[in-house]
Amino acid sequence: MKPSNTRKGFFAEGVLTAPSFLWLALFFAVPTLIVVSFTFHGHTPNGGVAESWSLVTWRALADPDYPSIIWRTLRISVEVTLWCILLSLPCAYAIARMDKRRRPLIAAAIMLPFWTSFVVRVFAWRTMLHPDGWLQSCYLSYLRCCEWLFNCLPAFLQHALTGLGLASPEPLDPALATALDSEVAVVLVSVYSFLPFALMPIYSAAEKFDFSLMEAARDLGANSFYAFRKIFVPCIRQGIVSAVLMVFIPAIGSYVIPQMLGGTNCVLIGNKIFMRAIQNRNIPHASALATLMAVSVLVPMALTVWWRARQKARDKKKADIGMAAQIPGATV
Amino acid sequence: MSDFLVIDKVSKQFGALTAVDSVSLGIKKGEFFSLLGPSGCGKTTLLRMLGGFETPDSGRIYLDGKDITDLPPNQRRVHTIFQNYALFPTMTVRENIAFPLRIAKLPKAKIDESVDAMLEMIQMKAHAYKYPSQISGGQKQRVAIVRALVDNPQVLLLDEPLAALDLKLRQHMLMELDIIHDQVGITFIYVTHDQGEAMSLSDRIAVMNRGRVEQLDQPAKIYEAPISSFVAAFIGDTNFFAGEIVSAEGDYCTIRCEGFGDIQAFNDRKLAVGQSVHLSVRPEKIHVTTSAPPPEKGAGVNVYSSTVTDIIYQGVYTKFWIKSGERSVSALKPHSRFLLDQEPITWNDKVFMWWHPDDGYMIENFSESDAGLVQTPPDAPKEVSGK
Ligand SMILES: Nc1ncnc2c1ncn2[C@@H]1O[C@H](COP(=O)(O)OP(=O)(O)O)[C@@H](O)[C@H]1O
Ligand SMILES: [Mg+2]
């Protein structure tokens, strides 16, 4: 019997976990519930929450701007997460393969940016992305390539990309296409800011990875890239999952970066929440936006978890059938 | 038949250390070939060059007539069994075995068929959907072996594959390896520092020492006719006698051994009188009896009266340390009721030791440093100098 099943074990476990449990309840669960309950009240002109219960706040969310802002926030968060993971994987691999003595140095270098203020670092990007700077000219060349590629695509793909907001059919106007105060700046600087959060968990998983498995894969005929994808990446998936959470969650709520680098072209949900809470002094409305955002993230996550569990159960069943097949006369 | 795998003067240097020193070997198709040597002698390095994980500094490697020296590992039809099995932890047993076939992009039905055949061969169908962490060491070993055999490679390299298993399992896997080798007929190159493993499996053994091949021969030849003092001392145990030939007639010669006596030995190399030589006599060839041997047994030569100084019981054998003149000699005696001499021998008994002149073997290349590999009689406990 497990200790938790016995009375004594249960008591001991309870005493030991009570502080952290209380902490979570007090500072996480209760505030979340308060925020959700705010959404079922109106607001008072002086920035308070109205006494009476009502659905005015939810009705006010029918602002036609919101769906596109939520969609943009999700899209940018996914983009940022993907970039962070894609950049972290080869980096983590390279660092983990390095001489043991040099690794702490590299790890320290990754953490180095945290010694400077986040706001200062983000502000520095404003200078670097200045319309007269070399990053801007790189960006323009990149846009020209994209435009050329877009024009090569068949019409239905062009429509699809336009519909998803990933492309625009209008010809490029160099005067308007500035990297600063655009979505590109937000993605770029978000990737820059969040990269260490992705690199750290992936690196610590990669450090525990047994690199002789890569040799074994090569030995059995795999090329390096195949071995990287099919052996290295699956083996460090725990690190990748943590990295995704470490980047995606702050990216969803990010508002300093779009505020400073996105201008009016890249307003995200974080900015809207800030605007409603501080400028309009409408706490219930801000709460409703936050709740909406949380739901739009939690639902796909829950679906993924459910789908994974089902997949696992299927695998298990397959294994059981495989075993049963070995026992003569066994019925499946 | 010409050699299937040819290693031509291959050398590998790590900084100032020469790990593999101009090794040349020819290995036949379907052969079970062993590389045997002490830890650090360069076996793994040589194997890694065959697998494509290291590039030789000089020399070439040919497989089936083709130069494969510079081919990357994934382009050689040579597979390795790593000492830690190197099964992929995120894949089931089935997926592990299917891995090489999936890379070769075979149709699914074909892959399933081959994997099933392999699982059948190692009797692990019931474990097909388990992960490597859920099966035992011996089972992992088997999966690693068939994973490397499933796409029918030209050569299988095994780097101390049984080192991590316990004695019983090791003996069992040894047998199983032999059976698998007979079934698939693929060339096996087996690396080990365990002479027992190498002796019982191999068609031929290359004994390595300090990056060089000392001797390449069949197991019995390696044991009975060691070419150097290293081989004689590393494979099994032996007694070395240094001396000078004082007479030589026909096939035999007499060696005068300072502090011991005269020894008659088979003079296969036809050495002349006056030569100084080293003779190796294996402990199990030396008889120990309380009475002098009957003349027809020992022919009256190589009989030495001596004193028992130590007795070490070893199960199958008992080891005797006996002193004759100034020499301590080790002798092994099996336990059996049917031996000539049934009286028990104990410490300080006066005994006779004797061996047939054919049982001594004259060592061609002798080095004093190898003499250190030979067991020496246990000393009386030394006094610990207190601090
Ligand atoms: N990558 C390496 N770098 C430096 N020295 C090495 C390397 N690989 C092996 N060596 C050295 O080469 C020698 C032979 O090693 P190895 O081939 O592993 O021996 P074995 O397998 O016979 O025990 C050893 O002294 C070892 O320390
Ligand atoms: Mg080794």
Side-chain angles (χ1 to χ4, degrees):
Chain A
M1 216 184 254
K2 280 187 208 153
S4 62
N5 289 351
T6 66
R7 207 164 265 231
K8 203 173 145 209
F10 184 78
F11 180 72
E13 222 166 77
V15 167
L16 285 175
T17 51
S20 51
F21 189 76
L22 267 177
W23 177 273
L24 271 178
L26 218 61
F27 298 109
F28 182 75
V30 172
T32 306
L33 287 176
I34 292 174
V35 166
V36 174
S37 75
F38 279 172
T39 69
F40 296 101
H41 294 272
H43 76 290
T44 60
N46 60 358
V49 179
E51 289 267 327
S52 61
W53 296 83
S54 78
L55 285 175
V56 282
T57 302
W58 281 108
R59 260 185 238 118
L61 277 195
D63 185 324
D65 274 357
Y66 286 159
S68 68
I69 289 177
I70 289 182
W71 170 237
R72 184 190 293 137
T73 307
L74 284 174
R75 183 161 47 77
I76 287 184
S77 303
V78 169
E79 268 174 42
V80 169
T81 310
L82 278 180
W83 278 113
C84 282
I85 302 292
L86 281 181
L87 290 172
S88 296
L89 283 174
C91 275
Y93 183 89
I95 300 171
R97 293 237 75 171
M98 260 179 208
D99 191 338
K100 257 209 166 72
R101 282 162 301 172
R102 278 168 61 198
R103 282 189 225 156
L105 216 76
I106 302 288
I110 294 167
M111 304 309 288
L112 206 60
F114 291 109
W115 289 86
T116 346
S117 148
F118 174 65
V119 176
V120 170
R121 276 184 290 133
V122 174
F123 196 78
W125 276 99
R126 279 201 74 85
T127 321
M128 288 200 278
L129 290 168
H130 192 273
D132 296 334
W134 62 273
L135 276 176
Q136 171 68 20
S137 42
C138 290
Y139 177 58
L140 266 185
S141 331
Y142 162 76
L143 284 185
R144 292 216 171 86
C145 287
C146 287
E147 189 180 34
W148 179 80
L149 279 174
F150 180 77
N151 290 331
C152 294
L153 291 176
F156 77 94
L157 273 178
Q158 291 184 349
H159 287 307
L161 287 176
T162 313
L164 286 169
L166 294 172
S168 134
E170 268 119 65
L172 187 66
D173 178 358
L176 288 178
T178 57
L180 196 60
D181 295 329
S182 79
E183 214 177 289
V184 175
V186 174
V187 172
L188 179 69
V189 178
S190 298
V191 170
Y192 156 80
S193 305
F194 297 140
L195 194 58
F197 297 106
L199 190 49
M200 273 302 158
I202 291 183
Y203 165 62
S204 63
E207 203 181 20
K208 290 183 208 95
F209 177 72
D210 174 8
F211 282 93
S212 69
L213 294 180
M214 295 297 277
E215 281 194 352
R218 300 265 287 136
D219 184 74
L220 293 168
N223 61 38
S224 305
F225 185 55
Y226 188 92
F228 183 84
R229 278 188 304 135
K230 297 285 178 166
I231 309 298
F232 179 70
V233 171
C235 281
I236 60 157
R237 66 190 184 287
Q238 289 307 332
I240 297 177
V241 169
S242 331
V244 166
L245 295 178
M246 293 286 278
V247 174
F248 188 72
I249 291 171
I252 283 277
S254 130
Y255 93 98
V256 173
I257 296 169
Q259 188 81 17
M260 292 175 73
L261 295 162
T264 49
N265 299 315
C266 189
V267 174
L268 299 188
I269 200 78
N271 307 106
K272 275 287 175 201
I273 294 172
F274 175 80
M275 216 183 286
R276 294 291 175 252
I278 309 297
Q279 288 172 2
N280 305 2
R281 297 171 48 105
N282 189 341
I283 298 291
H285 196 113
S287 305
L289 279 178
T291 308
L292 197 65
M293 204 62 228
V295 168
S296 54
V297 173
L298 287 176
V299 167
M301 266 192 188
L303 281 176
T304 316
V305 169
W306 171 78
W307 183 74
R308 290 276 303 265
R310 210 179 64 149
Q311 205 73 3
K312 235 188 183 151
R314 267 193 196 165
D315 279 356
K316 172 111 182 38
K317 206 164 158 198
K318 213 155 119 194
D320 291 344
I321 291 171
M323 263 178 252
Q326 279 298 293
I327 306 160
T331 48
V332 179
Chain B
M1 194 169 79
S2 74
D3 291 325
F4 186 55
L5 177 66
V6 177
I7 301 168
D8 185 24
K9 298 201 197 68
V10 162
S11 296
K12 179 76 189 178
Q13 204 98 21
F14 291 115
L17 179 100
T18 307
V20 173
D21 189 1
S22 193
V23 166
S24 293
L25 290 171
I27 294 159
K28 295 187 179 62
K29 191 165 186 161
E31 191 170 22
F32 199 123
F33 191 92
S34 286
L35 291 170
L36 174 62
S39 179
C41 71
K43 308 177 298 284
T44 298
T45 307
L46 183 58
L47 210 66
R48 286 173 63 80
M49 289 192 282
L50 298 182
F53 298 109
E54 306 275 3
T55 331
D57 293 331
S58 63
R60 309 304 296 173
I61 300 166
Y62 303 90
L63 177 59
D64 202 11
K66 249 181 33 214
D67 187 342
I68 61 161
T69 319
D70 299 315
L71 281 185
N74 55 328
Q75 284 169 33
R76 314 180 173 204
R77 285 183 54 207
V78 173
H79 292 340
T80 311
I81 306 293
F82 295 89
Q83 193 178 323
N84 63 353
Y85 319 125
L87 296 182
F88 305 129
T90 54
M91 297 184 191
T92 60
V93 167
R94 256 202 105 80
E95 288 165 339
N96 262 286
I97 300 175
F99 187 80
L101 303 176
R102 290 242 298 275
I103 291 168
K105 297 212 171 66
L106 292 189
K108 183 150 189 329
K110 183 82 190 43
I111 293 180
D112 283 345
E113 188 189 318
S114 306
V115 173
D116 281 334
M118 285 294 152
L119 284 167
E120 192 80 59
M121 184 159 96
I122 54 169
Q123 289 157 25
M124 280 197 50
K125 274 206 135 151
H127 306 286
Y129 291 94
K130 286 188 181 168
Y131 285 90
S133 59
Q134 297 168 318
I135 59 177
S136 72
Q139 290 173 328
K140 281 185 203 167
Q141 183 70 76
R142 284 187 208 122
V143 174
I145 291 169
V146 295
R147 183 180 67 175
L149 289 173
V150 70
D151 67 339
N152 202 23
Q154 290 173 304
V155 179
L156 188 69
L157 309 174
L158 303 101
D159 191 357
E160 314 217 7
L162 308 182
L165 305 178
D166 60 68
L167 181 66
K168 276 283 167 221
L169 194 53
R170 196 153 68 221
Q171 289 168 345
H172 180 80
M173 284 304 298
L174 219 52
M175 225 171 54
E176 210 157 304
L177 261 179
D178 203 18
I179 294 169
I180 290 175
H181 176 251
D182 286 349
Q183 274 181 13
V184 296
I186 287 169
T187 311
F188 278 35
I189 301 182
Y190 188 93
V191 159
T192 182
H193 65 265
D194 184 314
Q195 33 157 322
E197 286 176 16
M199 290 276 172
S200 50
L201 290 172
S202 319
D203 297 319
R204 286 189 305 159
I205 298 175
V207 181
M208 285 184 72
N209 184 27
R210 294 204 204 100
R212 283 175 295 109
V213 173
E214 292 254 347
Q215 189 170 4
L216 167 60
D217 227 321
Q218 291 152 0
K221 277 287 202 47
I222 297 258
Y223 190 77
E224 302 293 347
I227 197 163
S228 68
S229 52
F230 172 79
V231 177
F234 180 69
I235 316 278
D237 194 18
T238 194
N239 297 286
F240 287 126
F241 296 93
E244 191 181 302
I245 297 182
V246 288
S247 72
E249 311 101 27
D251 285 342
Y252 293 90
C253 64
T254 305
I255 302 165
R256 180 146 301 156
C257 191
E258 200 76 24
F260 183 72
D262 285 358
I263 306 172
Q264 215 179 78
F266 185 58
N267 188 7
D268 61 337
R269 285 189 285 133
K270 300 280 175 261
L271 297 177
V273 173
Q275 288 249 17
S276 48
V277 292
H278 289 87
L279 189 73
S280 155
V281 186
R282 301 238 179 240
E284 73 276 13
K285 312 247 161 145
I286 300 177
H287 301 269
V288 183
T289 51
T290 44
S291 48
E296 73 272 15
K297 286 274 180 188
V301 296
N302 296 351
V303 180
Y304 310 92
S305 65
S306 38
T307 314
V308 176
T309 57
D310 218 323
I311 302 172
I312 302 159
Y313 180 75
Q314 293 178 340
V316 184
Y317 293 100
T318 298
K319 175 169 241 165
F320 292 92
W321 281 103
I322 28 192
K323 201 158 186 173
S324 175
E326 292 151 32
R327 255 313 284 271
S328 269
V329 174
S330 68
L332 281 177
K333 217 167 128 84
H335 297 294
S336 164
R337 286 280 144 208
F338 307 105
L339 283 179
L340 284 177
D341 142 68
Q342 297 199 359
E343 318 98 274
I345 300 172
T346 65
W347 278 263
N348 296 324
D349 273 3
K350 299 280 172 228
V351 291
F352 293 93
M353 70 164 144
W354 46 278
W355 67 85
H356 193 276
D358 286 350
D359 284 338
Y361 189 81
M362 280 199 274
I363 301 292
E364 215 172 318
N365 304 310
F366 188 87
S367 138
E368 278 307 329
S369 64
D370 297 326
L373 293 170
V374 173
Q375 283 191 21
T376 47
D379 288 327
K382 282 199 191 100
E383 284 201 21
V384 183
S385 53
K387 270 198 177 174

